[in-house]
Amino acid sequence: MNARASEGAKERRGSATASSRLSTRLARLLNMVPYFQANPGISAAEAAAQLGVSTKQLMTDLNQLWMCGLPGYGPGDLIDLSFSEESIEVTFSAGIDRPLRLTSLEATALLVALRSIADLPGMVDPSAAQSATAKIESAISGREFEGPILPVPVEAPAVATVRSALAREHALRLVYYSASRDVVSERVVDPIRIVLVDNNSYLQAWCRQAEGVRLFRLDRIDEATELDEPARPPAEAAADETAALDLFVDDPAVPLARLLIRPDYAWVLEQYPMHRVTAHADGSVEATMRFATLDWMARLLLGFGAGVTVLGPPELVTGVRERSGSALAAYSVLAEEVGTA
């Protein structure tokens, strides 16, 4: 990969990580005022544990929240707090606890966002999402809310178990399919949170087997069992919201494939963790992709046919050539058998 492509990849990964971090923090800040109003006088240590952050991060958030409020941003406009590590109280909410009034445009945008996130496994409780959707639709139409009309979507058992374990702070035993290695493994993890990365929902958890934070895509969890023991992820791992979010970091220990992609197959660049290296005048693109096993990568590339050509490494070129040759020989035998039948 040339220097420019490498820097571009780093910038994209950094932007995605920063965006995820800011979204998580914004959601936490918006929930802090009603949380502290419901728990007046709570200590910083207890609040940090319940909110899933470090005490240092909580104090940073409170100092940020202190500068938020209504236009004018003077006395009587900003949220006011009385806080120390021993006690936290909201002395002025700046109206954040008033009932929300939405315009029709705002309500429509909220509905679209709610339906989008409800389609992602594990991000929200399906029944709660449907109830909220029905209430917003009733408010827009002006009719009285009578409860959801459509049946509540059925949540995958494994996803429901993951959400339950997170809520109860229990450890999990997972049977998980790893697409990059094409293997199914069983492991015990300590759940930390559910995160959204590249439009897929993942369980961020401390893997006891790997002794590190890992992401487990929810739709690839074959089985999940909630254990009767508390989850104990290391404090520093639980506090790091960005841990393992960079799914496809360049690891020199992992083989790197060099590929030439035809213009009409450019969609594979968006579907797979590839990095663009060079764009040619005819519209074709040279790209790289890390892979765990040669067999898995060869099977993947064979599925693209002539749309993707392997440029390296030599063992992958040989592997794809041998497999394609075997497939062609098998077709020839089949054709002869059909012809003589």
Side-chain angles (χ1 to χ4, degrees):
M1 181 182 295
N2 62 32
R4 182 177 297 177
S6 178
E7 287 301 317
K10 289 179 181 178
E11 288 178 6
R12 289 193 298 273
R13 291 197 298 267
S15 176
T17 300
S19 177
S20 177
R21 182 171 62 250
L22 289 172
S23 297
T24 302
R25 190 179 186 203
L26 176 59
R28 189 169 64 247
L29 286 170
L30 291 174
N31 282 301
M32 275 189 171
V33 172
Y35 171 79
F36 288 120
Q37 285 182 315
N39 299 276
I42 191 172
S43 69
E46 186 179 355
Q50 292 187 14
L51 292 170
V53 296
S54 65
T55 302
K56 180 181 178 181
Q57 180 63 60
L58 177 67
M59 301 305 285
T60 300
D61 287 343
L62 289 171
N63 277 297
Q64 178 73 45
L65 194 59
W66 214 357
M67 295 182 284
C68 300
L70 302 171
Y73 309 109
D77 299 320
L78 299 178
I79 293 171
D80 200 2
L81 304 158
S82 172
F83 63 93
S84 65
E85 292 199 359
E86 288 72 37
S87 175
I88 303 170
E89 290 193 42
V90 177
T91 55
F92 179 63
S93 67
I96 200 171
D97 53 350
R98 296 175 188 163
L100 182 62
R101 304 291 183 183
L102 298 175
T103 66
S104 59
L105 185 60
E106 290 170 335
T108 301
L110 183 59
L111 277 175
V112 171
L114 184 59
R115 285 169 176 156
S116 297
I117 199 169
D119 289 336
L120 295 168
M123 297 304 296
V124 293
D125 181 342
S127 59
Q130 188 178 59
S131 176
T133 299
K135 289 178 181 178
I136 296 172
E137 290 174 339
S138 296
I140 293 175
S141 65
R143 59 181 173 82
E144 185 177 350
F145 175 67
E146 298 177 350
I149 299 175
L150 298 174
V152 176
V154 178
E155 189 172 36
V159 175
T161 300
V162 168
R163 288 200 306 102
S164 171
L166 269 170
R168 291 151 54 91
E169 299 183 349
H170 282 182
L172 280 165
R173 177 175 288 106
L174 302 179
V175 176
Y176 184 73
Y177 170 68
S178 174
S180 62
R181 292 176 172 81
D182 195 23
V183 296
V184 176
S185 62
E186 183 175 329
R187 62 190 76 194
V188 175
V189 303
D190 298 295
I192 298 174
R193 60 180 65 87
I194 291 176
V195 296
L196 182 64
V197 183
D198 292 339
N199 293 321
N200 290 303
S201 45
Y202 293 81
L203 170 66
Q204 188 183 44
W206 176 266
C207 177
R208 297 182 185 179
Q209 177 180 325
E211 296 186 344
V213 177
R214 296 291 185 268
L215 292 186
F216 302 93
R217 194 163 133 174
L218 292 185
D219 59 0
R220 291 178 181 161
I221 297 176
D222 292 338
E223 297 178 22
T225 304
E226 184 176 349
L227 303 180
D228 191 19
E229 62 176 277
R232 296 191 181 93
E236 63 275 12
D240 185 1
E241 298 171 2
T242 64
L245 291 188
D246 192 354
L247 298 176
F248 307 112
V249 64
D250 284 333
D251 181 355
V254 180
L256 183 69
R258 293 186 299 109
L259 311 170
L260 178 63
I261 302 168
R262 271 186 0 199
D264 52 331
Y265 273 73
W267 56 268
V268 304
L269 291 163
E270 307 300 329
Q271 295 293 322
Y272 295 90
M274 297 181 180
H275 294 160
R276 297 171 188 259
V277 176
T278 304
H280 297 291
D282 64 355
S284 63
V285 175
E286 286 187 36
T288 59
M289 177 178 171
R290 298 281 175 185
F291 61 96
T293 65
L294 189 145
D295 284 344
W296 180 87
M297 190 65 181
R299 289 200 305 271
L300 175 68
L301 294 173
L302 285 173
F304 297 138
V308 178
T309 302
V310 186
L311 303 178
E315 58 270 24
L316 181 59
V317 174
T318 301
V320 171
R321 183 182 296 121
E322 289 177 349
R323 285 166 177 77
S324 59
S326 297
L328 289 172
Y331 278 120
S332 297
V333 172
L334 180 61
E336 290 178 3
E337 291 176 353
V338 172
T340 57

